[in-house]
Structure formats: structure tokens, C-alpha cells
Amino acid sequence: ISSNKSIIQLTKSQENFWGIFYKYSYDLKQKVKERLEIKNSNGSIKVYLNLKNTGFDLENYLKKDI
């Protein structure tokens, strides 16, 4: 990890990690067209991660939060 780039933490936890410059909490994560959508209720944070063709088991990942 390059030290000149910001690292963002999206979490529901109070735990802090070294090297994190921005920490945001989120309210929802869901699957939207083979992408993982993470957002908070006031709309100030919305992140889409395209996980198609990566081998990442998005379905299993989302089931862990149920």
C-alpha cells in the first residue's frame, strides 16, 4: 500500500486500524447487478464494487450478515 494514498474504512465496528484516513459507517449492503452496493441512510456514502469474474462469493458474503 502506498503511503501517499488515502485509505477508506467502511464499517459498522468501532475498531480502528492503522493507516485509515477516512472512516465511514454504513447502513446497508446489497447485491445490485453482480455488484456490491454499500450505502448509508442519509445518502452521503454510496459505493459500488464490481465483483463480476473475480471469484468472490458475493451471495455467501451477504448471507453472513443475516
Side-chain angles (χ1 to χ4, degrees), residues 5-51:
K5 292 187 180 180
S6 299
I7 303 297
I8 298 171
Q9 179 180 349
L10 299 171
T11 185
K12 289 185 176 184
S13 168
Q14 296 300 318
E15 186 176 4
N16 291 312
F17 297 97
W18 180 88
I20 302 298
F21 293 97
Y22 302 101
K23 181 177 178 179
Y24 302 100
S25 63
Y26 66 90
D27 301 312
L28 175 68
K29 61 183 178 179
Q30 63 186 2
K31 180 179 176 182
V32 178
K33 297 181 182 177
E34 301 300 321
R35 297 181 294 178
L36 175 61
E37 177 185 75
I38 303 170
K39 62 183 178 178
N40 63 3
S41 58
N42 70 7
S44 64
I45 300 293
K46 187 181 258 188
V47 176
Y48 288 102
L49 299 174
N50 184 352
L51 301 168

